[in-house]
């Protein structure tokens, strides 16, 4: 669109609307009644009789004389322009009028020629008005004055046309597209009229660039217009049955074929519930019904049996029921159900870890030194450390369709424009938002925009004109209310600006309202919030958009544009203060803002994360010491606190975590895998959570070995502890490592890089824990037995206990409160048969609720959440959502299609009768009619249609070659059937000429301005002379993440359907697609990742535990944990995206961490603990599963609670104080849900499930034939206080 084109259009309207009505007046004196007689065969005006002033246009004279027959030459010209129906009879026009009529109607034809019905109705109206012999029947001159020549001229008249014709005329033209603007012809010929009355009013209103006199189109009335009859010819419909008048689909919805119904978005529902939710709820209800039935039947049967055996029970001693004796201890009863077999893999693992522990304990300094050297070597890769900050490279796989298509688009058409946008809003008052428009506000806004134009950047010294999008070289594209007033506040009249503004919003195509870049400004693009009151003057926001040229990433031109945007950002920040002083609010965004704000480090989040880590560190250090310290022992000998403390051991454990993270970062940085912000924030937390757990298990087991094997060397005791806990660490670490590593196969860099770093860190951490930490543990124990204080080993404390003797009075003879609670109360309670039923019902209910909520988990990531707290972009995106009611442009790109062939032309075009019914342009037009599901709206800028229109010889000054109009006199002539249009080499010849043809007053269809970047033409190519071209349309206004995702999916669907039906290669492109491509496959990706992880969990657990049943129970428990977390996400408004997908992968790994140790303790129970299982747990149908579940909880339940649950809970709880919304939503909420659900499932559901469906147990190699077996009573006495050992209550 160019200034020249707009000027040409304005002149066309001006000349058309006054030259059509020129008539030679016959001066009469009739006291103001200029059309005295209204009868057939009589005129109302004729000829041209002068002007109002020197600068005005020629006006007609009143003439109420009889119509006259024209001469042959005049008749010929009239028939040529108005049709054969004028080949006979008298007329009210002369030769000069017909010449003017012909010239101006041809200009109108250039706008509406694509729709024959609209053209016919337009021509018919003005031909009838100008030349009808019955003119006086529907025209009445109401006002005249003397011209500058002294003759009477008409200044106002009434023109009667029937409602039927008015409606038909408007309907035939309202959807006609004007391709050069990408808008509708009605915006220009009718001022954007929404009904036929407004259309006719626009044509008749006096305006500088319109009608030179007032033409009223009143509604016909026999009372008001005596002896007059409205003109009522038949209006041609755009979908007329006569092919000569039938318009193409793009210009007439009634001519379009019906598109197939969209079914892919329809989801299965039963009432308001998704089918999945309905199904699981029904299944759970059936389960509850069956359970109630079974329990009722069992109770009834028990009562019946009890009545039958009453006499026998009176004669016998009352036998204790299972429920009554479940809490009583029968010494050595557990021996009856002791596992009798070894599992060879476990035996091998026990042996290997025993040898490894022995080696590390014997050579601690060598082990520690070697570990440090290896970590240091891996950390050398830090020299190649780099953080990925580009959002595109973070969220989109380089091989994905969106990435390759963006690269194709940018390389062929250039990068998409850079957009700078600002909102001025009046919402700073307590009463709420109010109108923003006022004379003073406009004055300030004009001044601000002038500053934007004048100011230059600091580094490059460039201004807006140097960087803006300027398709014609005459004006920058700036979409603003100031465009209605030619960018000058001098044009804003303090008395009439409101009326001027309303007129321009209603008629944006009128010449006085066109901006300097000559493209109509739609009110939705420059004003917001007016829809509430449906009054433009009540708009609550001004919107201005500056369009800036974009360039290749990393280029000098891009740097120049970014430098100017930096200046603009600073200018807007100053303007925000000015707006505040005026009681207004200014929000803005520049092209550089998004990446800058997303990558801005927030000190608040860094502090919160550090505090979280410190709390976990302090807890771990203190809790480790509690394994050998009790209140009684400290009170008896305070020096014990110094010696038995394990604070330094905890510090070493934390250092090992940091070393593993450092090694992983170094290794993968050396491989060229960049770090992301997710990795920096999550990996240390993840590894610390996993690592602390393993440290607790090793230390707790070592203390137990100290009790049962006090006489052995430290090295032997360490090896025994690692031999027992090593396989458990192997199980959890291998499962977590493989689970995380699965994510490395994903194309999305954010997930892929996280998976690699997490797998590496967890693996290195596990290796260091079974080597370096074991060596440190050995050194620590040597310090303890040498009576040296923690942190100061060079000092010796005389009054302290080493704590290794079984008979030590205050070392290990006291059982911890948590351990005692689990052994005496918690474990027997949850394994009670009635309690088991309640637990199963409850957790299956949680699982059912989680499944039912899965469809409610939304997709997307609201950008406002990702910004730092206080970012200036947050109010901008709020305003964008509330006030900007225009959708982003979308391009449908055609690749490698030889459009020089007729059949391919028909597969793309839309304005010609032989275009394929389902061509690209026709389909896009049809999709815009169902925008509620297609998310496509507005007309399509079809280059091929406008190219063929440019060839139309009617547009005499468009295609001119060798001084002659192209296609003039050609056979076959130019026509809407396309036959006779150029093909092959001729097509390319004229196409190249068209693309260099300017858009100017003489020809508005030149392709240089609107389409120079829409095609790639290679005239010498033998395969495809047009390897790429695009067709532009728009999306509907998109406000939510769901809207953006659905719009992207819809565009994909449209392109796929067109590609399939026409056998061509089409893909959609819009600037935001690159960020939403992940959602096209994220559900499937999540399913594959989590499904693969679950399969790996089942395989590794079954293999290392030696039981498919136990492996299945663990796997089901992990699935239930993940489903519960997903259900929580739905309830807490956490959507599924790359960040939450990473956290779901973490959920799987941490879920295994919670469950693996309990499952292994169940499969390989400690014999000395199993022997003391309550008698009520032995001899049931479970063949000892209850006893093994009890033993597992007693053995490692405390470690799982204190080492995993409490540690993670403390670390996560701190995140509740973060000011970052993304941390609060995607880390705190998910991780808190993970800790709660994983802990409850592992500590409550898993023991019950194992007791019901766990596999056959195995003998623990470390318990067989060792000193531990001989001293089991002594070991148990360390677990069980002496006074309780003989108690009748246990």
């Amino acid at each position: 669109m160019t200034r020249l084109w707009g000027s040409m259009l304005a002149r066309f309207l001006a000349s058309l609307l006054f030259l059509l009505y020129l008539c030679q007046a016959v001066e009469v004196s009739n006291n103001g009644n200029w059309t005295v007689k209204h009868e057939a065969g009589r005129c109302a005006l004729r000829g041209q009789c002068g002007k109002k002033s020197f600068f005005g246009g020629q006006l007609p004279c009143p003439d109420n004389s009889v119509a006259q027959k024209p001469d042959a030459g005049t008749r010929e010209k009239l028939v040529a322009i108005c049709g054969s129906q004028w080949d006979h009879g008298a007329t009210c026009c002369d030769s000069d009028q017909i010449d003017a009529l012909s010239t101006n109607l041809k200009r109108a034809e250039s706008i509406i020629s694509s729709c024959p019905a609209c053209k016919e109705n337009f021509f018919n109206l003005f031909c009838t008005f100008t030349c009808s012999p019955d003119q006086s029947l529907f025209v009445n001159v109401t006002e005249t004055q003397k011209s500058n020549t002294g003759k009477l001229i008409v200044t106002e008249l009434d023109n009667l046309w029937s409602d039927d014709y008015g409606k038909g005329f408007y309907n035939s033209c309202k959807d006609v597209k004007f391709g050069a603007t990408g808008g509708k012809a009605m915006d220009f010929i009718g001022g954007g009229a929404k009904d036929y009355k407004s259309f006719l009013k626009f044509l008749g209103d006096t305006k500088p660039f319109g009608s030179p006199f007032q033409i009223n189109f009143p509604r016909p009335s026999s009372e008001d217009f005596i002896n007059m009859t409205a003109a009522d010819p038949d209006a041609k419909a755009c979908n007329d049955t006569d092919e000569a008048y039938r318009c193409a689909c793009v210009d007439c919805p009634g001519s379009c074929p019906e598109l197939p119904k969209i079914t892919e978005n329809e989801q299965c529902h039963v009432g308001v519930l998704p089918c999945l939710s309905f199904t699981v709820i029904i299944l759970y209800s059936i389960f509850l019904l069956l359970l109630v039935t079974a329990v009722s039947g069992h109770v009834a049967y028990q009562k019946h049996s009890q009545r039958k055996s009453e006499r026998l029970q009176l004669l016998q001693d009352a036998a204790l029921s299972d429920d009554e004796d479940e809490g009583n201890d029968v010494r050595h009863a557990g021996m009856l159900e002791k596992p009798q077999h070894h599992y060879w893999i476990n035996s091998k693992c026990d042996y290997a870890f025993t040898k490894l522990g022995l080696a590390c304990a014997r050579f601690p300094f060598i082990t520690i030194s070697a570990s440090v050297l290896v970590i240091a070597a891996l950390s050398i890769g830090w020299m190649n450390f780099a953080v990925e900050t580009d959002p595109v490279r973070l969220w989109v796989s380089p091989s994905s369709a969106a990435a390759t298509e963006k690269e194709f688009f940018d390389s062929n058409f250039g990068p998409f424009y850079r957009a700078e946008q600002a909102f001025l809003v009046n919402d700073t008052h307590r009463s709420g938002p109010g109108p923003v428009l006022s004379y003073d506000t406009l004055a300030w806004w004009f001044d601000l925009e002038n500053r934007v134009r004048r100011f230059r950047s600091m580094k490059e010294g460039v201004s807006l004109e140097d960087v803006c999008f300027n398709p014609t070289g005459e004006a920058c594209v700036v979409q603003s209310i100031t465009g209605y007033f030619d960018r000058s506040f001098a044009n804003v009249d303090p008395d009439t600006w409101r009326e001027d503004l309303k007129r321009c919003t209603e008629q944006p195509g009128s010449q006085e309202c066109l901006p300097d870049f000559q493209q109509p400004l739609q009110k939705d693009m420059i004003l917001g919030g007016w829809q509430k009151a449906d009054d433009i003057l009540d708009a609550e926001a001004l919107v201005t958009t500056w369009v800036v040229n974009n360039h290749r990433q990393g280029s000098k031109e891009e740097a120049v544009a970014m430098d100017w945007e930096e200046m603009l950002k600073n200018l807007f920040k100053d303007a925000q203060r000015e707006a505040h002083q005026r009681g207004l609010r200014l929000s803005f965004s520049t092209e550089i803002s998004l990446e800058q704000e997303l990558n801005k480090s927030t000190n608040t989040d860094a502090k919160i994360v550090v505090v979280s880590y410190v709390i976990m560190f302090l807890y771990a250090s203190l809790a480790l010491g509690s394994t050998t310290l009790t209140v009684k022992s400290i009170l008896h000998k305070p020096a014990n606190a110094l010696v038995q403390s394990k604070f330094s051991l905890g510090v070493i454990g934390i250092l090992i975590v940091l070393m593993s993270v450092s090694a992983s970062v170094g290794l993968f940085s050396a491989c060229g895998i960049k770090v992301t912000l997710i990795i920096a924030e999550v990996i240390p937390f993840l590894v610390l959570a996993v690592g602390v757990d393993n440290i607790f298990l090793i230390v707790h087991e070592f203390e137990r070995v100290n009790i049962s094997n006090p006489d052995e060397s430290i090295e032997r005791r360490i090896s025994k502890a690692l031999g027992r806990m090593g396989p458990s660490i192997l199980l959890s670490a291998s499962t977590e490592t493989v689970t995380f590593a699965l994510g490395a196969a994903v194309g999305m860099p954010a997930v892929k890089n996280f998976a690699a770093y997490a797998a590496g860190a967890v693996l290195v951490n596990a290796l260091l824990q079974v080597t370096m930490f074991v060596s440190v543990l050995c050194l620590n124990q040597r310090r303890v037995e040498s009576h040296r204080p923690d942190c100061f080993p060079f000092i010796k404390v005389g009054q302290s206990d080493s704590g290794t003797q079984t008979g030590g009075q205050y070392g290990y003879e006291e059982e911890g409160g948590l351990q005692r609670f689990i052994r005496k109360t918690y474990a027997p309670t949850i394994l009670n048969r009635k309690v088991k039923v309640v637990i199963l019902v409850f957790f299956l209910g949680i699982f059912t609720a989680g499944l039912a909520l899965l469809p409610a988990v939304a997709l997307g990531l609201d950008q406002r959440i990702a910004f730092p707290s206080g970012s200036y972009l947050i109010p901008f995106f709020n305003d964008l959502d509330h006030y900007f009611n225009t959708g982003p442009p979308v391009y449908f790109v055609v690749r490698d299609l030889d459009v020089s062939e007729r059949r391919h032309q028909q597969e793309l075009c839309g304005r010609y009768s032989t275009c394929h019914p389902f061509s690209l342009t026709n389909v896009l037009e049809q999709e815009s009619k169902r925008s509620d599901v297609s998310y496509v709206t507005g007309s399509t800028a079809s280059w091929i249609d406008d190219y063929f229109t440019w060839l139309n010889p009617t547009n005499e000054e468009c295609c001119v070659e060798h001084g002659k109009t192209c296609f003039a006199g050609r056979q076959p002539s130019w026509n809407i059937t396309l036959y006779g249009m150029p093909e092959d080499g001729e097509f390319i010849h004229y196409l190249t000429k068209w693309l260099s043809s300017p858009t100017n007053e003489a020809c508005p269809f030149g392709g240089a301005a609107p389409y120079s970047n829409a095609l790639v033409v290679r005239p010498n190519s033998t395969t495809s002379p047009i390897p790429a071209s695009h067709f532009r349309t728009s999306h509907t206004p998109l406000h939510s993440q769901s809207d953006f995702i659905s719009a992207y999916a819809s565009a994909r669907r449209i392109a796929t359907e067109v590609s399939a039906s026409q056998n061509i290669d089409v893909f959609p492109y819009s600037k935001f697609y690159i960020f939403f491509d992940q959602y096209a496959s994220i559900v499937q990706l999540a399913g594959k990742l989590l499904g693969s992880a679950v399969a790996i969990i089942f395989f590794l657990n079954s293999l290392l535990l030696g039981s498919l049943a136990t492996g299945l129970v663990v796997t089901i428990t992990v699935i239930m944990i993940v489903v519960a977390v997903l259900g929580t996400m739905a309830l807490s408004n956490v959507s599924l995206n790359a960040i939450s997908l990473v956290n779901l992968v973490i959920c799987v790994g941490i879920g295994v961490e919670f469950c693996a140790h309990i499952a292994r303790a169940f499969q390989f129970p400690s014999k000395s603990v199993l022997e003391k299982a309550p008698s009520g747990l032995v001899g049931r149908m479970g063949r000892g599963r209850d006893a093994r579940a009890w033993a597992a909880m007693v053995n490692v339940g405390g470690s799982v609670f204190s080492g995993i649950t409490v540690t993670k809970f403390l670390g996560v709880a701190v995140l509740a104080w973060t000011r970052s919304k993304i941390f609060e939503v995607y880390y705190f909420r998910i991780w808190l849900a993970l800790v709660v659900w994983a802990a409850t499932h592992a500590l409550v559901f898993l023991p019950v499930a194992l007791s019901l469906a766990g596999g056959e147990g195995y003998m623990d190699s470390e318990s067989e034939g060792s000193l531990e077996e001989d001293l089991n009573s002594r070991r148990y006495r360390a677990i069980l206080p002496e006074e309780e050992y003989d108690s009748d209550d246990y």
Side-chain angles (χ1 to χ4, degrees), residues 777-856:
L777 183 61
C778 176
L779 295 176
N780 182 75
Q781 187 62 27
R782 290 178 185 178
R783 174 193 62 77
V784 172
E785 296 187 9
S786 299
H787 303 282
R788 297 182 182 276
D790 191 18
C791 301
F792 303 96
F794 47 84
I795 301 175
K796 189 170 184 179
V797 180
Q799 300 298 321
S800 65
D801 294 329
S802 63
T804 57
Q805 292 79 18
T806 59
Q809 293 182 356
Y810 303 106
Y812 298 98
E813 82 282 5
E814 289 193 44
E815 182 182 19
L818 175 63
Q819 184 75 15
R820 177 173 179 171
F821 170 74
I822 292 175
R823 172 186 60 78
K824 188 173 179 63
T825 305
Y826 179 73
T829 300
I830 65 172
L831 294 174
N832 179 285
R833 284 186 297 184
K834 294 179 181 178
V835 176
K836 283 183 183 180
V837 174
V838 175
I839 290 173
L840 286 177
V841 170
F842 175 77
F843 280 93
L844 287 177
I846 296 296
F847 183 61
T848 299
L851 289 175
L853 288 169
L854 285 183

Side-chain angles (χ1 to χ4, degrees), residues 388 390-398 664 668 673-680 682-683 686 736-760 861 1077-1079 1081-1090 1092-1093 1135-1148 1227:
E388 183 59 79
D390 186 353
V392 173
R393 294 194 180 101
L394 275 176
W395 309 118
V396 182
S397 169
S664 181
F668 291 108
I673 300 177
K674 290 186 178 182
V675 174
T676 66
L677 294 179
I678 293 179
I679 292 173
V682 177
I683 296 296
L686 174 64
E736 289 165 352
T737 301
V738 175
T739 298
F740 292 142
L742 284 174
V746 176
M748 190 184 301
V751 177
K752 180 179 181 178
N753 295 5
F754 164 80
Y757 278 91
L861 172 60
D1077 178 68
Q1078 58 176 297
Y1079 302 110
S1081 59
I1082 196 168
V1083 175
Q1084 295 83 351
L1085 175 60
K1088 291 178 182 177
L1089 271 180
L1090 299 180
S1092 300
S1135 55
L1136 179 61
N1137 49 53
I1139 297 176
S1140 52
L1141 179 56
V1142 167
N1143 282 324
L1144 287 175
V1145 175
I1146 291 176
C1147 289
V1148 175
Y1227 293 100

